[in-house]
């Protein structure tokens, strides 16, 4: 069991362990204009003059603080025992806002997930789902899948994150390790187009089977239907202004 002095943020009450430090700049993947990224003069929000840098959290350095340190040590040690160099499987570890995320190379995802589930010192028995993320600016890894893992035995929570390029959107399915991921992976495939290799029945779950495209990608057109009022008709969103 985890030490009773630990709290939900992953830091310990005795003050000996401090949160992990990240580089101030993080990882810059692009620059964005306006509040919502609209281009072509279609931004009517009043925020068109905003300019901001799109930054992903950079890798953290040890000590990670709290139980994150123990989880990282146990995972790396278990991978070494299996003949896997941890640096090849874990691309980076990010501790940010009291949460830990292990960025995993997709070819090692199944092994890492099985290790986190089965190792007695880890025992992350539950995956509460997978979420898709589309970052068009993150060249070569535009699609991200994020898994939330919970240890019921030790009362701990960590995340795994895996990326894939738009041109090769394949990530191994975790259904054989966490069967409850079945519908979550179908939903992520339906909305983001991530192909989970090895899934027992990777079909759409919300959209019609013959639907074209993946509606939650950032480059997906808004579409829509006109709305009729008495004496007036409001055009569909994609006909009101330019979003390209």
């Amino acid at each position: 069991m985890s030490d009773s002095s630990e709290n939900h943020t992953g830091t310990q009450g005795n003050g000996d362990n401090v949160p992990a430090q990240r580089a101030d700049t993080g990882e810059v993947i692009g620059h964005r204009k306006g509040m919502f990224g609209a281009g072509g003069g279609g931004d009517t929000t009043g925020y068109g003059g905003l300019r901001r840098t799109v930054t992903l959290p950079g890798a953290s350095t040890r000590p990670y603080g709290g139980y994150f340190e123990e989880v990282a040590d146990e995972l790396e040690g278990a991978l070494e025992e299996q003949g896997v160099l941890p640096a090849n499987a874990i691309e980076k570890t990010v501790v940010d806002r009291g949460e830990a995320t292990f960025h995993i190379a997709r070819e090692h995802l199944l092994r890492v997930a099985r290790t986190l589930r089965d190792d007695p010192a880890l025992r992350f028995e539950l995956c509460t789902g997978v979420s898709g993320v589309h970052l068009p600016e993150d060249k070569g890894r535009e699609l991200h899948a994020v898994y939330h893992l919970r240890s019921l035995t030790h009362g701990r929570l960590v995340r795994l994150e895996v990326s894939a390029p738009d041109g090769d959107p394949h990530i191994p399915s975790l259904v054989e390790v966490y069967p409850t991921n079945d519908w979550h992976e179908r939903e992520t495939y339906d909305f983001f187009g991530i192909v989970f290799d090895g899934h027992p029945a990777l079909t759409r779950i919300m959209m019609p089977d013959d639907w074209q495209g993946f509606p939650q990608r950032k480059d997906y057109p808004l579409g829509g239907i006109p709305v009729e009022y008495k004496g007036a008709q409001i055009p569909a969103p994609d006909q009101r202004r330019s979003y390209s």
Side-chain angles (χ1 to χ4, degrees), residues 20 32 40 47 70 75 77 94 100 109 112 120 124 148 151 158-160 163 180 202 232 235 237:
R32 186 169 295 172
Y47 294 98
E70 182 180 344
L75 177 58
V94 176
L109 176 62
V112 169
F124 285 89
H148 307 265
S151 171
V158 298
R159 284 198 300 258
L160 302 182
S163 63
T180 53
L202 193 63

Side-chain angles (χ1 to χ4, degrees), residues 37-45 48 240-244:
D43 188 346
T44 61
T45 64
R240 297 180 205 166
R241 60 180 74 162
S242 172
Y243 287 91
S244 59

